[in-house]
Amino acid sequence: MAGERAVGLVRELHRAAGGHLPPFRAEGLRQALEEMRALYERNQADVSEAKSGRTDLIFLIRFRHCCLLRNQRCILAYLYDRLLRIRALRWEYGSVLPNTIQFHMSAEEVEWFNRYKKSLATYMRSVGGEEGLDLTQDIKPPKTLYIEVRCLRDYGEFEIDDGTTVLLKKNSQHFLPRWKCEQLIRQGVLEHILS
Amino acid sequence: MSEAYFPVGPGLGLEENFLSLDDILMSQEKLPGRAESTLPRLAFALGQGAGTGDSIPEGSKLEIPLWLAKGLHDSKRRIISVELPKIYKEAWRTVFSADANVVDLHKMGPYYYGFGSQLLNFDNPENPEIAQTILQTFISRFRRIMDSSQNAYNEDTSALVARLDELERALFQAGQKGLNDFQCWEKGQASQITASSLVQNYGKRKFTDMDG
């Protein structure tokens, strides 16, 4: 049945719930496009046959046309939904993605991510006075400037505003400026402790 | 659910949302139909018969996905006629009006509401009854879904969710999220910065990869 490959792509993406990004299926996409090309060529042949009097073929042409549109829709939806997921990664992870995720992206998607990063950075510099405003900071309203954090894994040295460095070792506890460590908490390196 | 990822939602009523993954999978569901005239060279494409040149004889039964039925539907020239899947027929409509809560919509559906709304695109004489049944089914099931989603806190909800249609599942999840957020706020944890759920999921995956 035509369209199965393209729907397979959509199905796999749909199954990966919660914004998870599955590997890019370049081969599946190529096969779906190949199928579309074949459908188009057969339709061209049948159109010329229908022009010379075989009107009973019109339905068949219409059927193939439906399949073409369906494949187009599946592929566009697949690519678009992946972009939505990649955009979400920028907000969840920050501007540098872990390697495991980068391996799941196609070259074009990496390119898109870099451009998105750039436009976001340009925008954030343009608002909020001279220094700009980091929109990814303070997703939840801050109550204090400093917060108590515990380190969940060995991270290494970490420099804070006043120039001192702290060693983030597993299970060590620190009292750090909130804006410095919010990103690390979101990345799962630190854990926010409420007193 | 990840906070920054908002998927394209399914369309409402007769409209499908072009880029929605849910709608694409919904329109992949099949419905029974019948060929009203001989269809040349189509047998292979629809998975009936072996040769590419075989045609489908008039009156033969077909199983076609919704997207195809919609694309081929033509009120002027009826080439393929579409029938109702059994869950939308009279017999099942009586079951739904008796007690909609007992039906396992996930097994029967899983896109009972969306697919049912799409069926209204075909000029079927039973359309008003179908629409009415879908609406009534939703009304009578909604109370229970809302009740359980607002009260099952820290419990295994898989048994509650198992019999729900996809639309109902989304409602249930929304209710659960509200409940969890509220409980969080009551315990004074709302201001705590937490690791992104996306990161948490990837973390889990990494550990399982190491095991494997």
Side-chain angles (χ1 to χ4, degrees):
Chain A
M1 179 88 205
E4 283 300 333
R5 285 200 188 87
V7 168
L9 294 174
V10 171
R11 198 168 279 140
E12 185 201 34
L13 194 58
H14 186 257
R15 215 178 300 129
H20 188 86
L21 189 73
F24 185 74
R25 294 269 174 252
E27 179 60 21
L29 201 65
R30 199 192 56 75
Q31 283 175 351
L33 289 172
E34 185 65 27
E35 181 186 293
M36 284 176 79
R37 208 175 53 85
L39 279 170
Y40 180 76
E41 275 167 8
R42 265 185 285 154
N43 242 8
Q44 285 291 310
D46 280 354
V47 163
S48 49
E49 215 176 314
K51 268 187 194 153
S52 56
R54 284 204 62 182
T55 46
D56 57 333
L57 285 181
I58 288 178
F59 184 76
L60 178 66
I61 293 165
R62 197 164 151 189
F63 164 79
R64 290 211 194 100
H65 187 67
C66 279
C67 294
L68 278 171
L69 290 179
R70 173 71 178 178
N71 268 342
Q72 183 195 36
R73 178 181 174 191
C74 290
I75 291 173
L76 282 179
Y78 176 74
L79 294 175
Y80 182 68
D81 199 78
R82 282 184 65 89
L83 285 192
L84 288 183
R85 287 168 195 237
I86 292 169
R87 187 178 68 182
L89 289 175
R90 168 65 186 86
W91 292 84
E92 302 274 332
Y93 272 93
S95 49
V96 182
L97 294 182
N99 275 339
T100 41
I101 298 179
Q102 288 218 353
F103 286 143
H104 286 179
M105 287 156 67
S106 73
E108 291 82 6
E109 283 170 338
V110 174
E111 161 91 21
W112 186 88
F113 181 76
N114 287 332
R115 285 209 210 149
Y116 180 72
K117 222 160 60 179
K118 248 182 228 156
S119 357
L120 190 67
T122 315
Y123 176 71
M124 290 199 293
R125 264 201 307 277
S126 73
V127 289
E130 265 178 37
E131 289 179 8
L133 179 68
D134 187 354
L135 293 172
T136 60
Q137 283 284 325
D138 295 328
I139 302 259
K140 289 173 178 172
K143 286 191 172 160
T144 50
L145 283 176
Y146 280 75
I147 52 174
E148 185 89 40
V149 288
R150 181 184 296 132
C151 209
L152 295 178
R153 56 182 154 96
D154 289 324
Y155 184 76
E157 291 194 340
F158 185 64
E159 190 176 328
I160 50 176
D161 310 346
D162 53 8
T164 53
T165 53
V166 284
L167 183 65
L168 297 180
K169 255 184 90 177
K170 193 174 178 177
N171 292 330
S172 61
Q173 216 155 307
H174 308 273
F175 195 59
L176 297 175
R178 181 188 160 106
W179 70 276
K180 263 297 210 190
C181 46
E182 181 166 349
Q183 183 128 58
L184 287 177
I185 296 173
R186 294 198 65 74
Q187 288 172 358
V189 177
L190 300 175
E191 183 188 22
H192 183 186
I193 302 171
L194 292 173
S195 43
Chain B
M1 193 172 274
S2 156
E3 296 91 342
Y5 167 63
F6 301 101
V8 185
L12 275 177
L14 292 182
E15 290 292 321
E16 272 187 66
N17 201 339
F18 187 81
L19 289 174
S20 158
L21 300 186
D22 276 307
D23 269 353
I24 289 182
L25 293 182
M26 182 272 289
S27 56
Q28 190 67 20
E29 299 285 315
K30 294 195 169 159
L31 74 175
R34 212 156 54 88
E36 295 289 332
S37 58
T38 310
L39 310 172
R41 298 184 196 172
L42 213 61
F44 182 68
L46 287 175
Q48 300 187 345
T52 37
D54 289 2
S55 55
I56 292 178
E58 186 181 337
S60 52
K61 287 198 169 156
L62 306 167
E63 282 263 302
I64 46 175
L66 176 71
W67 57 268
L68 189 58
K70 260 177 97 174
L72 297 178
H73 180 70
D74 191 334
S75 44
K76 284 180 226 110
R77 291 193 309 150
R78 287 166 61 87
I79 301 169
I80 282 185
S81 65
V82 187
E83 287 156 31
L84 290 178
K86 70 174 190 314
I87 184 138
Y88 300 99
K89 278 192 184 158
E90 175 75 44
W92 270 95
R93 290 210 296 271
T94 333
V95 174
F96 280 114
S97 64
D99 186 1
N101 279 310
V102 298
V103 184
D104 185 341
L105 271 192
H106 194 254
K107 205 169 110 200
M108 306 307 293
Y111 296 97
Y112 174 76
Y113 299 107
F115 196 73
S117 315
Q118 286 298 313
L119 286 179
L120 304 178
N121 277 312
F122 311 108
D123 330 295
N124 193 304
E126 291 178 55
N127 270 354
E129 285 89 2
I130 298 174
Q132 191 59 32
T133 312
I134 293 175
L135 184 62
Q136 275 306 326
T137 306
F138 183 75
I139 292 172
S140 48
R141 287 171 68 100
F142 179 67
R143 204 190 71 86
R144 200 159 148 169
I145 294 162
M146 186 166 157
D147 192 25
S148 57
S149 76
Q150 291 295 294
N151 289 301
Y153 181 60
N154 263 343
E155 277 174 56
D156 181 17
T157 54
S158 53
L160 292 170
V161 180
R163 294 153 65 86
L164 300 184
D165 161 82
E166 289 294 318
L167 172 76
E168 295 172 337
R169 284 189 181 191
L171 282 175
F172 186 86
Q173 299 303 344
Q176 284 271 292
K177 188 175 184 307
L179 176 69
N180 285 328
D181 286 352
F182 180 66
Q183 294 290 340
C184 230
W185 178 79
E186 269 197 329
K187 284 189 270 179
Q189 289 172 344
S191 61
Q192 185 179 28
I193 315 172
T194 50
S196 132
S197 54
L198 210 57
V199 177
Q200 284 172 349
N201 281 339
Y202 273 107
K204 269 181 225 156
R205 171 160 289 238
K206 215 180 281 167
F207 289 128
T208 49
D209 281 356
M210 271 187 231
D211 292 340

